[in-house]
């Protein structure tokens, strides 16, 4: 009989390794075997493909059919192989021409009627296809996502028969037009804005510094002081994602259970998982590894409210991603890696009841309860958070007699963008990502300032890691002021954002 080859791709994190679908038709009793490490969903495609071919008015070969998904050591899962398997069978049985198949890559799940259904993870698939210069043929419902790749030729179809007519040249499908997606204005009147936040000048200044340098922040204060309100508004003062980063964010969302929302193109993600979330929900995992909350916050903000209420084991899994910017999920036969370069913003109450040091209400907690509550946060985790700030209760006069109008997100964002531009020009990356060698090179301070900082570090009992984080925050403060050198005032302000180191140690 004959052999036909069709190209598709597997799903492995935000990568899409090439899969070659080889079909061999040979004499023998009618039987269809799929080899090449297929998961159960792929094995089930035998019945879907058979019904789809018959219901499309085509002929399903009555012979022995052997389908190989190469490479054999790469796990294959999901219904994405339905369309390439069906086309390889039709090509091997000479119902469609084989000469044009190698110019394409195919993906799509088949209904029993032959209709094509959308698949997850089409954006990583599209990125890899474009790099090889091939065309992509997918379900129509995946077109919006795939056409984000401007140099890729994409064809969309709603039915198996429509695909066959296109490949046969009888009724060609027009290439999909690249869609320039309308971006929602983050700073429009309908969106949240920092001008809505009354008071809390110190906290807003800290978040501006955090946005400018990409620093992580822990806010501590009684309930109702605006911690969550300010955290939600942080993305409105962050710079817009560039093309490469936006595609990377979209690729991760494409792999998630909820899929990619085209209306959020180029917007920085904001994720706020509940404190009951498990380690798998935060980091990612499952039988087929999916990205967790920290990967879905890639190039954006991960907000953890009520930080001590999270399970300690869940919090400890954050330590490595904060440093490395990635998550590796290991399974018996393979590893999956997801990027996780997020900006951590956390909030907590000063005690279990929340009213310690609140002038309006009396705290009901004992010293033992307060210490147990605060000790839920380990020293190594606290060390990895750049800025610790207190968010006190506002006085009634601050709420009722506001003397000046708060700055809008647009005004703050302009300063943040300029500060980040200075960092990228100097070190090719933002200050929060500077390594030890880069800190020595770009965060150099004079001997007088060094003596002051060392004395302060010793007095506060900070670690070497905290020492470096203070330097990086001071570098960001200098960048906001367009100062080339770090001055004593910058160091003093940076140290003021480590107050919780003292408070949590008692």
């Amino acid at each position: 009989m004959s052999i036909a080859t069709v190209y598709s791709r597997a799903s492995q994190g935000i990568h899409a390794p090439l899969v070659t679908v080889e079909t061999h038709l040979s004499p023998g009793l009618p039987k269809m075997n799929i080899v090449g490490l297929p998961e159960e969903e792929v094995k089930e495609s035998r019945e879907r493909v058979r019904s789809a071919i018959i219901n499309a008015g085509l002929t399903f070969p009555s012979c022995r059919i052997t389908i190989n998904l190469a490479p054999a050591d790469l796990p294959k899962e999901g219904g994405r192989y339905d369309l390439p398997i069906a086309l390889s069978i039709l090509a091997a049985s000479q119902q469609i021409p084989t000469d044009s198949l190698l110019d394409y890559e195919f993906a799509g799940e088949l209904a029993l009627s032959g209709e094509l259904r959308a698949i997850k993870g089409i954006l990583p698939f599209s990125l890899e296809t474009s790099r090889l210069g091939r065309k992509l043929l997918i379900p129509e419902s995946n077109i919006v996502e795939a056409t984000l790749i401007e140099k890729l030729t994409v064809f969309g179809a709603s039915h198996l028969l429509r695909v066959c007519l296109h490949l046969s040249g009888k009724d060609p499908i027009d290439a999909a037009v690249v869609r320039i997606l309308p971006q929602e204005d983050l700073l429009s009147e309908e969106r949240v804005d920092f001008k809505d936040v009354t008071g809390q000048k110190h906290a807003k200044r800290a978040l501006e510094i955090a946005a400018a340098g990409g620093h992580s922040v822990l806010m501590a204060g009684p309930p109702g002081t605006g911690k969550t309100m300010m955290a939600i508004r942080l993305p409105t003062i962050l710079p817009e994602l560039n093309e490469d980063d936006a595609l990377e964010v979209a690729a991760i969302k494409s792999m998630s259970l909820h899929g990619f929302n085209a209306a959020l193109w180029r917007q920085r993600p904001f994720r706020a998982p509940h404190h009951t979330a498990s380690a798998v929900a935060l980091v990612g995992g499952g039988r087929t590894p999916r990205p967790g909350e920290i990967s879905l916050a890639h190039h954006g903000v991960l907000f953890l409210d009520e930080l001590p209420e999270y399970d300690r084991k869940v919090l400890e899994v954050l330590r490595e991603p904060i440093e490395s910017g990635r998550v590796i999920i290991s399974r018996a036969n393979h590893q999956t890696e997801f990027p996780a370069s997020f900006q951590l913003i956390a909030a907590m109450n000063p005690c279990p009841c929340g009213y310690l040091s609140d002038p309006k209400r009396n705290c009901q907690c004992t010293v033992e309860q307060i210490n147990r509550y605060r000790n839920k946060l380990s020293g190594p985790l606290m060390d990895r958070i750049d800025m610790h700030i207190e968010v006190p209760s506002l006085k009634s006069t601050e709420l009722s007699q506001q003397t000046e109008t708060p700055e809008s997100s647009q005004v703050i964002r302009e300063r943040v963008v300029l500060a980040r531009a200075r960092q990228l020009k100097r070190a090719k990356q933002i200050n929060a990502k500077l390594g030890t060698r880069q800190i020595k090179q770009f965060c150099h301070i004079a001997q007088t300032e060094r003596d002051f900082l060392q004395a302060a570090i010793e007095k506060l009992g900070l670690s070497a890691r905290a020492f470096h984080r203070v330097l990086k925050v001071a570098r960001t403060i200098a960048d906001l002021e367009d100062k080339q050198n770090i001055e004593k005032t910058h160091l003093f302000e940076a140290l003021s954002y480590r107050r919780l180191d003292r408070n949590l140690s008692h």
Side-chain angles (χ1 to χ4, degrees):
M1 300 290 280
S2 60
I3 294 178
T5 299
V6 173
Y7 293 127
S8 187
R9 290 189 178 273
S11 175
Q12 195 173 57
I14 63 166
H15 304 291
L18 183 67
V19 172
T20 303
V21 181
E22 302 169 330
T23 295
H24 179 221
L25 305 184
S26 58
L29 293 174
K31 188 176 183 182
M32 182 175 170
N33 289 323
I34 302 177
V35 297
L37 210 58
E39 299 286 346
E40 191 61 35
E41 300 96 325
V42 181
K43 293 178 182 178
E44 291 173 351
S45 70
R46 290 176 295 195
E47 300 305 320
R48 292 194 298 271
V49 168
R50 181 177 180 277
S51 295
I53 289 176
I54 293 172
N55 288 321
L58 301 166
T59 303
F60 190 81
S62 181
C63 60
R64 184 178 182 86
I65 305 172
T66 303
I67 297 169
N68 178 42
L69 306 178
D73 59 347
L74 178 69
K76 323 295 189 311
E77 54 87 19
R80 62 175 53 209
Y81 302 104
D82 289 3
L83 177 59
I85 287 173
L87 293 176
S88 66
I89 292 173
L90 294 171
S93 59
Q94 299 180 356
Q95 297 181 67
I96 60 174
T98 59
D99 52 353
S100 62
L101 286 177
L102 299 183
D103 295 332
Y104 290 84
E105 293 186 5
F106 302 90
E109 181 180 331
L110 285 170
L112 298 183
S113 62
E115 293 181 357
L116 281 171
R117 292 172 174 163
I119 63 167
K120 292 189 181 299
I122 200 65
L123 191 53
F125 194 122
S126 305
L127 281 165
E128 298 293 340
T129 302
S130 67
R131 290 181 182 130
L132 289 183
R134 293 197 183 107
K135 304 169 189 175
L136 182 63
L137 204 158
I138 53 175
E140 277 186 348
S141 45
N142 282 128
I143 284 180
V144 171
E145 192 174 333
T147 52
L148 291 175
I149 315 301
E150 294 186 14
K151 296 181 180 179
L152 178 65
T153 303
V154 181
F155 298 93
S158 59
H159 197 278
L160 174 61
L161 182 59
R162 186 77 179 87
V163 176
C164 295
L165 293 173
H166 170 75
L167 294 173
S168 301
K170 297 178 181 178
D171 187 9
I173 301 171
D174 293 332
V177 178
V178 175
R179 289 162 172 78
I180 306 300
L181 299 173
Q183 185 183 358
E184 294 180 19
D185 186 1
L186 281 173
L187 307 178
S188 66
E189 291 297 326
E190 293 76 20
R191 305 291 291 179
V192 295
D193 196 291
F194 260 98
K195 66 183 179 183
D196 304 327
V197 182
T198 302
Q200 302 300 359
K201 192 172 182 179
H202 179 72
K204 287 193 284 188
R205 164 68 174 173
L207 288 177
E208 179 180 339
I209 295 167
H215 303 291
S216 51
V217 180
L218 171 60
M219 297 182 284
T225 55
K227 301 186 296 293
T228 301
M229 187 179 186
M230 288 185 287
I232 290 172
R233 283 157 176 77
L234 182 64
T236 67
I237 64 173
L238 292 172
E240 184 184 79
L241 289 170
N242 61 39
E243 184 80 13
D244 291 339
D245 289 348
L247 284 173
E248 198 170 29
V249 169
I252 296 170
K253 290 181 179 178
S254 177
M255 296 300 304
S256 69
L257 293 174
H258 301 292
F260 171 66
N261 182 357
L264 301 179
W265 171 243
R266 283 218 173 185
Q267 291 186 15
R268 289 186 182 269
F270 179 87
R271 307 293 300 185
H274 193 262
H275 61 76
T276 57
S278 65
V280 171
L282 210 60
V283 177
R287 185 174 64 86
T288 300
R290 298 287 183 190
E293 291 292 335
I294 62 177
S295 291
L296 292 171
H298 184 56
H299 291 315
V301 175
L302 177 68
F303 177 53
L304 302 182
D305 199 5
E306 306 291 348
L307 189 65
E309 299 298 335
Y310 286 81
D311 186 271
R312 182 156 182 162
K313 292 180 180 178
V314 174
L315 291 179
E316 292 306 302
V317 302
L318 290 173
R319 286 162 53 182
E320 183 181 346
I322 288 175
E323 294 288 333
S324 65
R326 60 177 185 156
V327 171
I328 298 175
I329 301 171
S330 298
R331 292 292 177 264
N333 55 355
H334 68 285
Q335 283 188 337
T336 302
E337 180 177 322
F338 292 107
S341 181
F342 57 89
Q343 187 168 358
L344 175 64
I345 306 296
M348 62 177 285
N349 294 325
C351 64
C353 78
Y355 297 108
L356 181 67
S357 71
D358 189 337
K360 299 178 182 178
R361 301 192 185 186
N362 293 324
C363 175
Q364 305 296 322
C365 306
T366 64
V367 174
E368 183 181 353
Q369 288 175 324
I370 294 172
N371 287 335
R372 188 183 307 117
Y373 177 76
R374 294 180 171 182
N375 287 335
K376 290 180 180 179
L377 306 179
S378 68
L381 177 61
M382 291 294 291
D383 250 2
R384 286 170 168 82
I385 300 178
D386 296 338
M387 305 169 69
H388 311 156
I389 60 175
E390 293 176 301
V391 186
S393 294
L394 293 175
K395 298 178 182 178
S396 57
T397 54
E398 292 181 273
L399 294 170
S400 60
Q401 300 176 5
Q402 191 171 329
T403 58
E404 58 183 36
T405 304
E407 287 185 315
S408 68
S409 292
Q410 179 67 49
V411 173
I412 301 171
R413 187 172 184 239
E414 288 172 0
R415 295 196 295 265
V416 168
V417 169
L418 289 174
R420 284 214 179 190
R422 293 172 190 127
Q423 297 165 39
L424 296 174
K425 182 179 179 181
R426 179 178 58 238
K428 308 301 182 187
Q429 61 183 335
I430 57 176
N431 290 334
K433 304 299 181 184
L434 296 177
T436 304
R437 291 182 181 178
Q438 292 170 312
I439 291 172
K440 292 179 180 179
Q441 182 179 356
F442 302 118
C443 302
H444 178 75
I445 54 178
Q447 188 59 47
T448 304
E449 282 74 19
R450 182 169 292 278
D451 292 341
F452 165 75
L453 181 57
Q454 287 176 342
I457 292 293
E458 289 177 9
K459 185 176 181 179
L460 296 176
L462 302 182
S463 66
R465 182 184 282 115
F467 175 86
H468 285 151
R469 293 188 182 277
V470 168
L471 270 179
K472 290 191 284 187
V473 172
R475 177 67 266 173
T476 300
I477 297 170
D479 289 331
L480 280 167
E481 297 180 6
D482 197 13
K483 295 291 182 66
Q484 188 165 353
N485 298 319
I486 298 175
E487 301 172 1
K488 190 173 181 178
T489 55
H490 305 146
L491 292 171
F492 188 81
E493 184 176 0
L495 285 166
S496 73
Y497 301 125
R498 300 293 304 192
R499 289 182 179 178
L500 295 183
D501 283 322
R502 288 169 285 173
N503 293 345
L504 291 174
S505 62
H506 293 88

